[in-house]
Structures are given as structure tokens and as C-alpha cells.
């Protein structure tokens, strides 16, 4: 919700500041600042007023939990730095072609979180599901969750990209884009947006690694995508196709690291099978009695029932 709110605010303010107030690049920067405050508001206020999750911490709890949290937090922080690094490389490459291309690229940056908000949300939602099933040693459910996530990601992206292609003229008109600004937005809607499928694959792979005990895999993939997966592709794309080549190069990098993330994830899942790290020793459905719906009693273990039966049949109790 917070990310979506920030994208909407940015999408509204960008054309207003850039073209309405004639602030050019400074207008894009100002719109981004306002959008950041919108993201903070929609993130922080629900924590305090709706969910009431903030309280005064104790020193013992902070000391106890810090080490555990940092084991995941530090790689995640490094991972999150990858996105601005990649955006800085692409924006620098676009900037040499003029303000119109920068304005068009800014609009792309604003409509992306709106169009693909579901993908961002899905990658965050599957994390707890994967983590819980991994903790329960249910590797088959982990694999099923990953498969379904990738299918939904692909189908959703294809539908959104089709709609984006069909309404690109109206979208350009809404933002009052002309010249090079409209050209780069049209190229994104026609050729580049569909490669977000591979972004979605990488998102799912990253959240899987974070919940399968391999957060450094996620860090390496994101940093790799932001550097080795962006800089050379953007450079040669710009060299061969100009400003539009910057977008094409970024798209090729997305494809490469999306496929790479999926391959690494499959190898990790296969490794879990080999090591038995995520294999349940005994199926609980075999050793437990199914309770009736809404039954308030705890499940009775069959082994315990058999022990009680033996005790009842023993001579010490039968006499």
C-alpha cells in the first residue's frame, strides 16, 4: 500500500512539476521527495494507530534480538542499495540525450510501481509461506509455492503489458508527453515492459533465499544485477541504439539475472533434497487422529492410545 501510494503521488506530481511548473529535472527530483514522504506516512501511521506495533523496547530484548535480526537485515540492506545503484547508472546514461528523455524515463519510473504493484506485493507475501513450510520441513509445499508464484507473476505481467501496450497513446496524452519523452515511453510499453516477468522471477527468488537461510544469495544477485547486469548492457545498448538502447540494455540485464536467479534457486532446492535439511522424518497424518471440525480437544496421538491400551491389558491393572 505504501509503495503504491508513493508511485501514485509521483505519477501525479511528475508531469505537474516538470511540464506544468517548467522545473524540468528539478521537478522530477521534487516529486520524488514528496513521494518518499508519502511512502513514510502510509508505512508509519498504520504501525502506530492501526496495528499498535510500536512500544518501548527493553535493553535485554534489544541485546537478545539484535544478532538474529542483523543476520538477515545486513544482507537485506545491501540488497536494497542495488536498486538505486542500477537506477543511477541508467539515469546517467539517459541524461546525456537530453531532458525530454529524462522526463520520459521519470514517467516510466512512476508508472512501473503502479502497473506492477501486484508483483511487488506477491514477492513479499510468499516469503512467510515459504519460511513456514521450510520450518515445517515441507519442501514439497515450498516448491509448490514457488511454482504457483512464478505462474501468477508471468500471467499477471503478460496481462498488464498487453493493457499497457493498448493504452500507451492515452497514457502519453495524460502526461502531456511529446517528442523524445513520448518516444521512450512508447518503447517501454511496446518492447521493454514484458521483461518485467524476469524481474518478478528474481523478486520471488530473492524472497525465497531470504526465507531459506541464504540471504547472501539474494544480496549477490541484486548487486550483480545492479552492476554487471546493468552497466555493460546499458553501455552497449546506448552505443548501438542511442537513448532507447539504454532501456533495451537494462531489459537484457533483467532477463539474464532473472534466469540466473531461477537457476540458482533450483540448485538450492535440489541441494535441500540431497542434504535432507528440509525432509520431515515422519508424516504427522500417519500418527495422529483427525479431530472433528471445531473440536476443542488436542489431537490424540495414536502411539499414546496404544500405550494406554497396553496398560489396560496388563495384569497389574486387570486384576
Amino acid at each position: 500500500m505504501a509503495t503504491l501510494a508513493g508511485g501514485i503521488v509521483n505519477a501525479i506530481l511528475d508531469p505537474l512539476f516538470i511540464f506544468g511548473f517548467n522545473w524540468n529535472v528539478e521537478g522530477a527530483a521534487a516529486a520524488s521527495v514528496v513521494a518518499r514522504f508519502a511512502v513514510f506516512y502510509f508505512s508509519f501511521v498504520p504501525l502506530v494507530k492501526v496495528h499498535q506495533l510500536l512500544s518501548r523496547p527493553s535493553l535485554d530484548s534489544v541485546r537478545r534480538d539484535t544478532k538474529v535480526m542483523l543476520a538477515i537485515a545486513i544482507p537485506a540492506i545491501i540488497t536494497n542499495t542495488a536498486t538505486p545503484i542500477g537506477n543511477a547508472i541508467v539515469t546517467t546514461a539517459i541524461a546525456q540525450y537530453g531532458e525530454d528523455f529524462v522526463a520520459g524515463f521519470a514517467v516510466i519510473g512512476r508508472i512501473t510501481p503502479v502497473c506492477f504493484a501486484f508483483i511487488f506485493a506477491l514477492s513479499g507475501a510468499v516469503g512467510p509461506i515459504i519460511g513456514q513450510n521450510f520450518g515445517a520441513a515441507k519442501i514439497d509445499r515450498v516448491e509448490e509455492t514457488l511454482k504457483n508464484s512464478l505462474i501468477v507473476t508471468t500471467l499477471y505481467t503478460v496481462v498488464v503489458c498487453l493493457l499497457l501496450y493498448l493504452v500507451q497513446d492515452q497514457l502519453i496524452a495524460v502526461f502531456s508527453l511529446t517528442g523524445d519523452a513520448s518516444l521512450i515511453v512508447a518503447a517501454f510499453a511496446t518492447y521493454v515492459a514484458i521483461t518485467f516477468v524476469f524481474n518478478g522471477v528474481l523478486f520471488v527468488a530473492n524472497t525465497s533465499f531470504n526465507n531459506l537461510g541464504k540471504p547472501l544469495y539474494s544480496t549477490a544477485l541484486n548487486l550483480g544485477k545492479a552492476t554487471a547486469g546493468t552497466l555493460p548492457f546499458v553501455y552497449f545498448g546506448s552505443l548501438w541504439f542511442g537513448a532507447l538502447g539504454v532501456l533495451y540494455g537494462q531489459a537484457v540485464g533483467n532477463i539474464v539475472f532473472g534466469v540466473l536467479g531461477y537457476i540458482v534457486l533450483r540448485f538450492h532446492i535440489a541441494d535441500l533434497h540431497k542434504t535432507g535439511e528440509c525432509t520431515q522424518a515422519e508424516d504427522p497424518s500417519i500418527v495422529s487422529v483427525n479431530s472433528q471440525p471445531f473440536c476443542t480437544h488436542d489431537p490424540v496421538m495414536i502411539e499414546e492410545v496404544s500405550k494406554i491400551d497396553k496398560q489396560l491389558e496388563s495384569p497389574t491393572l486387570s486384576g
Side-chain angles (χ1 to χ4, degrees):
M1 179 62 185
T3 304
L4 182 60
I8 293 174
V9 170
N10 227 332
I12 294 173
L13 294 184
D14 257 334
L16 178 63
F17 288 175
I18 295 173
F19 302 108
F21 296 162
N22 291 322
W23 289 355
N24 299 323
V25 177
E26 291 80 2
S32 297
V33 171
V34 176
R36 295 294 186 273
F37 278 103
V39 171
F40 173 77
Y41 176 83
F42 284 99
S43 301
F44 186 76
V45 171
L47 288 178
V48 177
K49 294 189 175 182
V50 178
H51 304 290
Q52 298 180 348
L53 293 178
L54 295 183
S55 63
R56 186 183 299 275
S58 65
L59 184 60
D60 290 338
S61 63
V62 171
R63 188 183 299 112
R64 181 179 63 252
D65 297 336
T66 297
K67 184 177 180 180
V68 177
M69 291 188 296
L70 289 181
I72 298 295
I74 291 179
I77 291 170
I78 298 174
T79 298
N80 286 334
T81 63
T83 299
I85 290 174
N87 287 340
I89 294 173
V90 175
T91 304
T92 302
I94 287 284
Q96 62 181 318
Y97 294 101
E99 294 181 351
D100 285 347
F101 278 117
V102 174
F105 183 70
V107 171
I108 293 172
R110 303 294 78 80
I111 64 177
T112 296
V114 176
C115 293
F116 301 105
F118 180 83
I119 303 300
F120 292 109
L122 178 66
S123 62
V126 299
I129 301 174
I130 293 172
Q132 289 174 7
N133 285 292
F134 177 65
K138 290 287 188 178
I139 189 63
D140 56 328
R141 294 183 182 177
V142 171
E143 291 182 293
E144 183 180 2
T145 301
L146 293 175
K147 182 183 72 173
N148 292 338
S149 299
L150 295 176
I151 292 174
V152 171
T153 296
T154 302
L155 293 178
Y156 175 85
T157 304
V158 169
V159 171
V160 168
C161 291
L162 179 61
L163 293 175
L164 196 59
Y165 173 77
L166 294 175
V167 303
Q168 59 178 288
D169 293 334
Q170 291 82 354
L171 187 65
I172 291 171
V174 166
F175 287 99
S176 302
L177 301 177
T178 58
D180 293 336
S182 64
L183 179 64
I184 194 171
V185 171
F188 172 80
T190 304
Y191 306 111
V192 178
I194 191 63
T195 63
F196 210 89
V197 169
F198 299 93
N199 267 346
V201 172
L202 187 58
F203 291 161
V204 172
N206 284 339
T207 192
S208 301
F209 291 133
N210 287 336
N211 287 277
L212 294 176
K214 298 293 183 180
L216 291 179
Y217 286 12
S218 175
T219 301
L221 284 169
N222 267 26
L223 283 179
K225 176 190 170 188
T227 53
T230 300
L231 187 57
F233 296 105
V234 166
Y235 173 77
F236 286 107
S238 174
L239 188 65
W240 294 335
F241 302 104
L244 298 184
V246 175
L247 282 188
Y248 301 152
Q250 186 183 28
V252 173
N254 292 340
I255 295 173
V256 170
F257 273 82
V259 173
L260 180 61
Y262 178 77
I263 293 174
V264 174
L265 180 59
R266 296 308 307 172
F267 269 105
H268 182 53
I269 295 294
D271 189 57
L272 290 177
H273 279 292
K274 291 179 182 178
T275 60
E277 184 179 348
C278 194
T279 303
Q280 194 169 37
E282 193 171 27
D283 189 349
S285 63
I286 298 176
V287 297
S288 64
V289 176
N290 291 330
S291 301
Q292 293 297 322
F294 310 109
C295 178
T296 58
H297 299 290
D298 293 331
V300 181
M301 304 304 292
I302 289 178
E303 293 180 359
E304 297 298 325
V305 173
S306 62
K307 289 180 182 178
I308 295 173
D309 289 340
K310 290 180 180 179
Q311 290 176 0
L312 291 174
E313 294 173 359
S314 65
T316 56
L317 295 177
S318 59

